[in-house]
Amino acid sequence: MSQLSASLIVVSDIHLSHSDDDRAQKFLPLLARIERGQVDSLVLLGDIFDFCLGSHPYFQEKFATIGHALEKVAASGTRVIYLEGNHEFRLKDLPWKGIEVVPGGTVFIPLKNGQIVQAAHGDMIYSHRRYKTFRWAVKSALVTGVARLFPGTFLDHLTRKTSEVSRSADEYRPIYHDKILNAVDGWMESQKHTAEYGIFGHFHVPYAEPRRDLKEGAILSVDSWDKPNALVFKDDGIFRCW
């Protein structure tokens, strides 16, 4: 199995339904390559799972294989950062060692060449106020605490059906590219740290745009795993690994 050598690898929007589905069978070998290689940082940019309530024993067991693989990556010396997406809840309660879980917001990753990458899931960069209110409500301690009282199989079934209904409308849901990229520009400029690269997911669109302020770097996004891929930062450039 070939190894990977990179300063940073970013994956997003894999939407695993369980630990041995078709996408997991592609994701786990990628993690094994990272573990055996030389990778400074691995960033999971959200929605790695189609639904996961990290405080619920059912989901802890359901995704244990993925957690074990990530622990092995972290133990190999790679920094593993996991930003929650809008399909994930209370991931800090997962019993995974060595994984830095970030419930939301923006993280900054320094590269060994001195440049900085800022990353976020993407849904809060460009979204309607009603969506932000809804996201805050469903991720609240009250709602996630009540959800933990339900059987895991019930939550699994409910969220799977909800996802199916949502995805059935995807082809009719417009993507406003200019508005998204303008919002990303604002996100880049609003941070206290100065970063050359801004990376986000969520929209399932593989953006690769020069910065509109003409500064060094770029705006990048990770495509969904409808086309399994990772964004790889190496010494000689940035690549999409399909």
Side-chain angles (χ1 to χ4, degrees):
M1 179 180 292
S2 61
Q3 300 177 353
L4 275 174
S5 176
S7 181
L8 170 65
I9 295 178
V10 184
V11 294
S12 182
D13 297 277
I14 300 178
H15 291 281
L16 297 175
S17 58
H18 45 82
S19 290
D20 59 354
D21 65 14
D22 290 344
R23 298 183 182 202
Q25 296 307 310
K26 296 178 175 68
F27 184 46
L28 288 168
L30 173 64
L31 294 180
R33 291 180 64 194
I34 295 172
E35 178 203 344
R36 293 178 173 87
Q38 294 182 326
V39 177
D40 295 337
S41 300
L42 167 65
V43 174
L44 309 173
L45 207 52
D47 287 357
I48 303 305
F49 304 115
D50 208 30
F51 177 78
C52 182
L53 176 59
S55 59
H56 201 297
Y58 172 86
F59 293 97
Q60 293 178 3
E61 181 178 355
K62 180 181 182 181
F63 295 119
T65 300
I66 304 298
H68 180 60
L70 289 172
E71 286 180 324
K72 291 173 70 175
V73 171
S76 73
T78 297
R79 183 185 181 192
V80 181
I81 306 169
Y82 195 142
L83 282 83
E84 278 189 7
N86 50 297
H87 286 249
E88 294 148 339
F89 304 82
R90 298 191 67 88
L91 295 186
K92 281 194 171 185
D93 292 333
L94 289 167
W96 299 351
K97 296 179 175 62
I99 315 302
E100 301 175 36
V101 174
V102 181
T106 300
V107 297
F108 296 86
I109 306 100
L111 304 179
K112 55 188 174 186
N113 64 4
Q115 294 180 322
I116 296 176
V117 172
Q118 70 178 60
H121 178 59
D123 59 332
M124 297 296 282
I125 295 176
Y126 174 74
S127 56
H128 196 278
R129 185 179 300 173
R130 289 194 300 271
Y131 170 83
K132 293 178 180 178
T133 302
F134 172 76
R135 191 184 195 275
W136 173 84
V138 297
K139 282 183 172 283
S140 68
L142 174 62
V143 172
T144 55
V146 171
R148 191 181 183 281
L149 302 177
F150 286 87
T153 51
F154 169 78
L155 293 175
D156 225 356
H157 177 77
L158 176 64
T159 55
R160 185 167 59 251
K161 291 300 181 182
T162 302
S163 293
E164 289 174 1
V165 171
S166 177
R167 289 194 186 100
S168 67
D170 278 353
E171 62 179 300
Y172 307 105
R173 188 177 291 124
I175 299 291
Y176 300 104
H177 298 294
D178 283 342
K179 290 183 178 180
I180 291 172
L181 292 173
N182 283 334
V184 172
D185 284 340
W187 167 63
M188 292 283 291
E189 295 171 0
S190 68
Q191 305 300 314
K192 295 180 180 179
H193 299 277
T194 300
E196 284 78 17
Y197 295 95
I199 303 179
F200 58 100
H202 180 68
F203 297 104
H204 298 190
V205 177
Y207 291 110
E209 305 284 334
R211 294 184 54 162
R212 295 187 179 187
D213 57 13
L214 303 181
K215 292 180 180 178
E216 180 184 4
I219 291 171
L220 304 160
S221 66
V222 189
D223 204 352
S224 77
W225 265 44
D226 293 338
K227 303 173 182 178
N229 70 103
L231 195 61
V232 181
F233 281 70
K234 304 184 76 172
D235 292 339
D236 56 343
I238 305 169
F239 308 89
R240 293 193 192 274
C241 176
W242 300 98

